[in-house]
Amino acid sequence: MPDNKTIAALATPPGQGGVGIIRISGNLCQSIAQSILKTLPSPRYALYTPFYGSNDTIIDMGIALYFPAPHSFTGEDVLELQGHGGPVVLNMLLHDILQLGAYPARPGEFSERAFLNDKMDLAQAEAISDLISCHSEQAARSALRSLQGEFSEQIKAIIDALTHLRMYVESAIDFPEEEIDFLNDGMVSEKLANIHQRLEHTLSQAQQGYLLKEGMTIVIAGQPNAGKSSLLNALSGRESAIVTDIAGTTRDILREEINIDGMPLHIIDTAGLRESKDKVEQEGIKRAWDSIAQADCILLVIDDSKGIEEADKAIIAKLPDNLPITLIRNKADLSAKTPFFNDKKPYPEIILSAKYQQGMDFLRQHLKSIMGFHNIPEGTFLARKRHIIALEKGLSHVTESIKQLNLFVAGEIVAEELRLAQQVLGEITGQIDSDALLGKIFESFCIGK
């Protein structure tokens, strides 16, 4: 395909709807408009007009919008055709547009062109996809802040600070007879400490934003008939799982998604963990252990009316060492205990009754604290895992530069660590990018976006 190809795609979801939108971007927009509309609409004015097919028969009636370059979403000429949302009509129209020289757009190609034409940076482009796919109002507000550039501005400000400090340090290296004085005058140390503090703050915000986007995966595990399914129902607020007095009712894993103060939680209820000769139950137990291996947190449910049994201790011994475990002492209604949270070591304990919804607030607060979740401040932006990794690497390089300055007054190493920090942070906004990174990011977008 030519580098200057014109692209077209359906920008609304496939299927029937009241309105369907076809988006076109590239240098053939004007000629396509003349063929389909028999005119070129005035820039940024809605034109109600017939849409003509290849044989000059009217396919549909709708609204056309024309945005000449560079004042468009992609930075190129853009034409949008808003017609009726029937798949047959839209497919006929799109077919004729492709016959006029346009190519089908790849997933995310419109946003990719906006990035390549400097209409937005990489973090803002990712925020478009995040805004479309977010699952809570808080996440939507945070994604919009990222789209508006709040995250990018923080990153760019830190990169600018790194650039100016690099210039100062490298100037000291260029004048070796003055190097000790330059590097020991306190200014470099002060600026490094300031950059370190700003990076820590931005990383903390990004981690909160990542929680809003991805949430955490919680696996409910334990012996049969300990009340795991009752706990799932209590957390989800509906009868998701079958609850009976018969041990081993749950044979397969059950999944629910809930929100706690805007934070998405992926809750998995598993089969009771025990030795079994039943092949179906054995498969359920195997899947339970597979889910545990992928979890962010384990809620180990114990029947508090029986206390911690040897079978419970055997389950704990088999759980991964690096996985946060919370003991849920369920059936407080039978053990006659008051619901309570005890942040003891090595495992926090919560006494509750899932059946009667007693003590569930202790659990909800505890789940938020496990992942470092706090009440989301108004300035929080949405972030992705790659942003977290880049910020952590940048912070590591700045920390090393502080060490090299304070212990060894090693100007060359300080400058190199600052360069590495600047490089890794530049990957967030796309100031430093690779074709592989761009391909991976934009292929996850919707077609037509």
Side-chain angles (χ1 to χ4, degrees):
M1 294 183 184
D3 292 337
N4 62 344
K5 62 179 177 146
T6 296
I7 56 173
L10 183 66
T12 45
Q16 292 185 340
V19 176
I21 300 174
I22 291 176
R23 174 179 287 171
I24 309 160
S25 179
N27 56 13
L28 293 182
C29 278
Q30 292 189 24
S31 63
I32 290 174
Q34 292 290 351
S35 297
I36 299 293
L37 310 175
K38 307 304 180 187
T39 185
L40 182 66
S42 299
R44 292 173 295 281
Y45 278 86
L47 174 67
Y48 181 67
T49 179
F51 299 157
Y52 292 91
S54 56
N55 56 1
D56 283 346
T57 58
I58 296 177
I59 296 176
D60 196 7
M61 294 285 296
I63 292 174
L65 290 164
Y66 172 59
F67 304 92
H71 306 294
S72 70
F73 175 73
T74 63
E76 305 171 335
D77 283 357
V78 169
L79 179 67
E80 287 194 359
L81 304 178
Q82 304 179 7
H84 295 93
V88 174
V89 172
L90 291 170
N91 286 336
M92 290 170 60
L93 187 58
L94 183 58
H95 175 270
D96 286 343
I97 291 169
L98 298 180
Q99 291 296 311
L100 291 169
Y103 289 88
R106 292 181 284 103
E109 190 168 3
F110 290 94
S111 297
E112 183 178 8
R113 291 189 177 201
F115 164 70
L116 294 173
N117 291 325
D118 293 326
K119 303 300 290 186
M120 62 178 67
D121 62 38
L122 200 52
Q124 288 174 294
E126 289 172 302
I128 295 172
S129 178
D130 295 337
L131 183 60
I132 293 170
S133 61
C134 59
H135 298 290
S136 70
E137 291 183 11
Q138 185 64 261
R141 287 192 289 269
S142 297
L144 184 58
R145 279 191 284 272
S146 291
L147 179 58
Q148 291 172 332
E150 292 189 21
F151 181 28
S152 301
E153 289 303 317
Q154 288 193 38
I155 298 300
K156 290 174 183 175
I158 294 173
I159 290 175
D160 286 345
L162 285 167
T163 301
H164 287 106
L165 188 55
R166 275 186 63 196
M167 292 168 56
Y168 187 87
V169 172
E170 290 174 8
S171 296
I173 296 171
D174 288 340
F175 299 95
E177 70 278 1
E178 302 290 344
E179 180 176 352
I180 302 298
D181 292 334
F182 269 127
L183 298 180
N184 275 332
D185 66 0
M187 191 275 283
V188 174
S189 179
E190 180 181 344
K191 287 187 176 296
L192 275 174
N194 179 262
I195 291 172
H196 191 276
Q197 183 180 17
R198 290 164 70 180
L199 267 173
E200 284 187 320
H201 176 70
T202 303
L203 175 58
S204 176
Q205 284 185 297
Q207 287 168 334
Q208 292 292 310
Y210 180 72
L211 275 181
L212 276 175
K213 180 179 183 293
E214 300 294 340
M216 64 179 180
T217 299
I218 302 165
V219 170
I220 303 173
Q223 290 193 70
N225 212 28
K228 301 184 298 299
S229 295
S230 295
L231 187 63
L232 173 68
N233 292 343
L235 280 170
S236 65
R238 64 191 187 93
E239 298 297 315
S240 302
I242 298 172
V243 177
T244 72
D245 293 331
I246 302 172
T249 303
T250 302
R251 297 296 187 96
D252 202 350
I253 58 175
L254 300 175
R255 302 175 185 270
E256 278 288 337
E257 290 195 12
I258 67 170
N259 278 279
I260 297 180
D261 289 351
M263 180 180 68
L265 300 179
H266 313 286
I267 306 173
I268 300 175
D269 179 23
T270 60
L273 302 176
R274 66 175 176 179
E275 297 296 328
S276 174
K277 295 182 180 180
D278 185 311
K279 289 187 177 181
V280 176
E281 189 173 4
Q282 286 177 353
E283 179 61 27
I285 293 169
K286 176 183 177 297
R287 294 185 183 188
W289 284 109
D290 290 343
S291 296
I292 287 170
Q294 303 297 320
D296 295 314
C297 168
I298 298 295
L299 301 182
L300 184 60
V301 183
I302 296 167
D303 185 342
D304 197 51
S305 66
K306 299 178 181 178
I308 299 179
E309 301 178 308
E310 289 302 316
D312 296 315
K313 295 178 182 178
I315 293 172
I316 293 174
K318 291 179 66 176
L319 292 173
D321 294 334
N322 60 344
L323 200 58
I325 300 169
T326 300
L327 301 184
I328 305 297
R329 304 183 72 118
N330 190 28
K331 303 187 180 181
D333 51 301
L334 298 181
S335 64
K337 292 182 181 176
T338 302
F340 183 71
F341 172 67
N342 186 358
D343 194 14
K344 62 187 291 188
K345 302 296 182 183
Y347 311 117
E349 292 184 354
I350 300 176
I351 299 173
L352 55 77
S353 171
K355 181 178 181 180
Y356 294 103
Q357 298 275 325
Q358 297 172 351
M360 294 302 296
D361 285 342
F362 290 123
L363 177 56
R364 292 186 179 93
Q365 291 299 321
H366 177 61
L367 291 175
K368 291 196 295 183
S369 68
I370 286 175
M371 297 292 283
F373 179 86
H374 309 287
N375 288 328
I376 300 294
E378 187 59 30
T380 299
F381 45 77
L382 229 56
R384 296 186 170 197
K385 187 65 177 179
R386 78 171 192 92
H387 303 152
I388 303 292
I389 293 172
L391 285 165
E392 288 174 341
K393 287 181 179 178
L395 186 61
S396 175
H397 287 305
V398 173
T399 301
E400 181 63 24
S401 68
I402 292 173
K403 174 184 173 182
Q404 293 295 328
L405 178 67
N406 292 339
L407 295 182
F408 310 111
V409 198
E412 292 88 350
I413 301 178
V414 171
E416 175 62 11
E417 292 294 336
L418 293 178
R419 184 190 70 81
L420 293 172
Q422 181 180 355
Q423 183 178 37
V424 75
L425 292 177
E427 293 176 358
I428 294 177
T429 57
Q431 289 177 266
I432 300 170
D433 57 65
S434 68
D435 291 340
L437 175 63
L438 295 182
K440 186 175 181 181
I441 287 172
F442 287 108
E443 70 184 10
S444 66
F445 278 46
C446 306
I447 293 176
K449 197 57 186 167

